[in-house]
Amino acid sequence: MAWQPDRSGLQQIIQLLKESQSPDTATQRAVQEKLEELNKYPDFNNYLIFVLTKLTTEDEPTRSLSGLILKNNVRAHFSKFPQEVIDFIKTECLGSIGDPSPLIRATIGILITTIANKGELTHWPQLLPHLCQRLDSEDYNVCEGAFGALQKICEDSAEILDSDALDRPLNIMIPKFLQFFKHSSPKIRAHAISCVNQFIIGRAQALMVHIDQFIENLFHLANDDDAEVRKNICRALVMLLEVRMDRLLPHMHSIIEYMLLRTQDPDETVALEACEFWLSLAEQPICKEVLSSYMERLVPILVRGMRYSEIDIILLKGDVEEDEMIPDREEDIRPRFHRSKTHHIKHDDGYGDDDDMSDDGLDDDDALSDWNLRKCSAAALDVLANVFREDLLPTLLPILKETLFHQDWEIKESGILVLGAIAEGCMTGMVPHLPELLPYLIGCLSDRKALVRSITCWTLSRYAHWVVQQPHEQYLKPLMTELLKRVLDANKRVQEAACSAFATLEEEACTELVPYLGFILETLVFAFSKYQHKNLLILYDAIGTLADSVGHHLNKPEYIKLLMPPLITKWNILKDEDKDLFPLLECLSSVATALQSGFLPYSEPVYKRCLSLVEQTLNQTIANTNHPDQFEPPDKDFMIVALDLLSGLAEGLEAHIENLVQNSNVLPLLYQCMQDPMPEVRQSSFALLGDLTKATFQHVRPFIGDFMPILGQNLNPEFISVCNNATWAIGEISIKMGQEMKPFIQLVLTQLVQIINRPNTPKTLLENTGARRCETFATTKRRTRHSAACAQ
């Protein structure tokens, strides 16, 4: 006999579900506690599925909520569900897939795919055949419900569906989906295309054998009235561009015409998917050949797409000019990810590592942090400028002339964005126009509209490389002066953009900024008293970049007196578990390296706290390893940034760090960190080892026998940065050891030779490896630097 609920128990759960929809926080908390209590009863989940599938007299939000709570329980506790409960839930899901309510059908689909993700695709053999069979139902609700569930399964389980583990069900599913491309319902057509789309990038064999039929069906639906169908068609063509260009090439001119039309689609979600096509096409070798004749039509479309829409401006509070006094909300502050320190041999090209990603200038749209048409259009123009170079300018310059000087600020703002987007690709062709454009842009930094001021900051940063090559009085000084004013702007978005732009200028100008250091530091330090939470984190970056750029020129008493008090105040306020420590520690690492002995008065408390952070993280790791049910794994970024700051101290203080090392357990802790399973921890550990070797080798020497085998084990170029720093540390040790290095040569020599002979080894690793191998024989000495620092 099928399970039946206890009537009073059912009423109690329904009441709880209704109360949980209350806006009152206290009520929600009480309901949550009660739900957690009910989770102890095995058949509680039977009640939840019963409410979802059987109580058709209840309101839909309550039924759907019941299903979503059950979904969360499946995620958290499915392994503890009794088998009879699992069987009951599965039976009810399949029996109710055609519920008359779209909301309930969607909730059941989510629940089915959540169960499937728990490995149940292999233990629920009737699921896929049942859903595929229900596609043929004449009842629209049943067909749509089954398709909705299948779409979610295809999204989440594409890989296993194309594997032998399930006897390759795609061989049946793909032909089945293709039949529904011409269904009378647009919702079904959209589901069918979306299901097939999940298998394009993986080049599923079941799709590849039907690829011509798939493409033919897409073309048949090209002018579909439904926006979701058009969006899925655009998405399919973008992916096919990457994996089956051979099949698209004969139709390329028709596809380009179609995408030109769709990029202007009245539905922005369709236009966004179509705009992705230009990004993908730009990466193809045939781009210039097939697109040249269309650029006069495409460029104006992309430029129009770069304007803020009315909704964008509302979301961005574009009419709010002064908001510096409004505290940031926690959700406005994006998580920051620390990048570990990397050493490589110094060169004079001024470039950082390949993974130094440049800011695209579009992330100032915090309320629009999702990818949107404006960002995609700008990115497309950027990559196309890199393909067509100066050939783009005859089309673009007249448009720029019209937009840049337009009276409507929205159009003017988009013109400034265009100018920034083409900076990299069209720089050579733009140089003759820059003497006129740069003063105009510097003037735009004082525009009455905050959104114009903020985008102008970014665009000017894109031309910073050219600016620093001109006479200072002409462009650098006016730009620096106006940018620093914007650093102190009354609008938070402008503050952020100006701080980021100034950091870019610092990287380009390097020691050219030394004559202006007093003025720069006064401005940046004043910003400490002005900035809210989010922009403080960006200010740390600007100060750290300044220290990297001017180096020891910062080591003057008047500069130290300006800079250190606010940094140390923040350092003292922040608790050890506060993630705001990450950017502050990164900043202090750069400052300590630059100040050299000037950092000595602040070094002891900073050194001790860094060791404490490392030790705490190691202890938390051990506790989690031994008792994973009692202790959460620690955030190892705390340890990584602490190791990097210790590196900065060792590099800056040099021999002055000897007393701190002598009276601490830094080397035993370093020995543990060097064996951490996380590559970023090992990367920072080897950087610190190299810096301590240079600064105070007498304390490192007793541990060489323990360290060298670990260094040898990490000469694996699959982990480039780890291998790079391990190689560098071996080189520094070999310089100090001289002939005493001989017993350890066999631990590392074979791996170093393999790295040198390995094809496609990155240039920086080759240089470190080649130089360090020579140093193993005590013949060559070269200095190293941080990758972030300027080559001076």
Side-chain angles (χ1 to χ4, degrees), residues 268-286:
E268 186 171 321
T269 63
V270 178
L272 174 57
E273 289 296 339
C275 196
E276 294 275 3
F277 179 82
W278 313 116
L279 274 172
S280 294
L281 185 58
E283 296 174 0
Q284 302 297 326
I286 56 135

Side-chain angles (χ1 to χ4, degrees), residues 83-141:
Q83 189 58 49
E84 61 270 20
V85 173
I86 293 173
D87 293 341
F88 183 67
I89 292 170
K90 289 178 177 179
T91 302
E92 288 302 307
C93 283
L94 294 183
S96 304
I97 198 74
D99 193 280
S101 160
L103 176 62
I104 301 305
R105 290 199 301 272
T107 306
I108 291 171
I110 291 168
L111 182 54
I112 287 173
T113 196
T114 306
I115 295 170
N117 284 342
K118 285 293 179 179
E120 289 298 301
L121 270 179
T122 51
H123 298 109
W124 195 356
Q126 66 271 42
L127 173 62
L128 294 175
H130 180 88
L131 292 176
C132 286
Q133 182 187 359
R134 303 307 278 165
L135 295 181
D136 295 321
S137 172
E138 294 183 6
D139 183 335
Y140 167 80
N141 293 335

Side-chain angles (χ1 to χ4, degrees), residues 174 177-178 181 192-200 207-221 232-233 235-237 239-240 244:
I174 294 288
F177 295 153
L178 291 173
F181 275 41
I193 303 169
S194 181
C195 283
V196 178
N197 281 357
Q198 308 309 317
F199 305 100
I200 297 175
L207 174 57
M208 292 301 112
V209 298
H210 294 96
I211 196 71
D212 292 328
Q213 183 188 350
F214 175 47
I215 292 171
E216 184 183 326
N217 283 2
L218 290 175
F219 290 163
H220 176 80
L221 295 173
N232 287 342
I233 291 169
R235 186 173 293 167
L237 290 171
M239 290 188 285
L240 286 168
R244 290 311 302 259

Side-chain angles (χ1 to χ4, degrees), residues 641-739:
V641 292
L643 289 167
D644 285 350
L645 179 45
L646 288 169
S647 273
L649 285 172
E651 190 173 348
L653 295 177
E654 296 179 331
H656 294 292
I657 202 172
E658 198 266 336
N659 283 338
L660 296 173
V661 173
Q662 183 177 19
N663 297 310
S664 73
N665 61 340
V666 63
L667 289 158
L669 291 177
L670 184 57
Y671 177 68
Q672 287 180 259
C673 294
M674 287 168 61
Q675 299 172 80
D676 195 275
M678 188 174 180
E680 291 82 2
V681 176
R682 300 200 305 278
Q683 177 183 335
S684 293
S685 302
F686 298 144
L688 175 56
L689 174 59
D691 283 319
L692 287 175
T693 297
K694 291 175 71 177
T696 176
F697 184 63
Q698 66 270 34
H699 296 296
V700 176
R701 185 187 289 272
F703 294 86
I704 293 297
D706 295 323
F707 288 164
M708 286 305 299
I710 300 172
L711 289 166
Q713 291 159 16
N714 280 274
L715 296 177
N716 177 5
E718 296 301 318
F719 298 98
I720 289 295
S721 296
V722 177
C723 184
N724 198 54
N725 283 4
T727 307
W728 177 78
I730 290 167
E732 294 302 332
I733 290 169
S734 66
I735 292 170
K736 298 290 186 180
M737 294 279 285
Q739 293 301 312

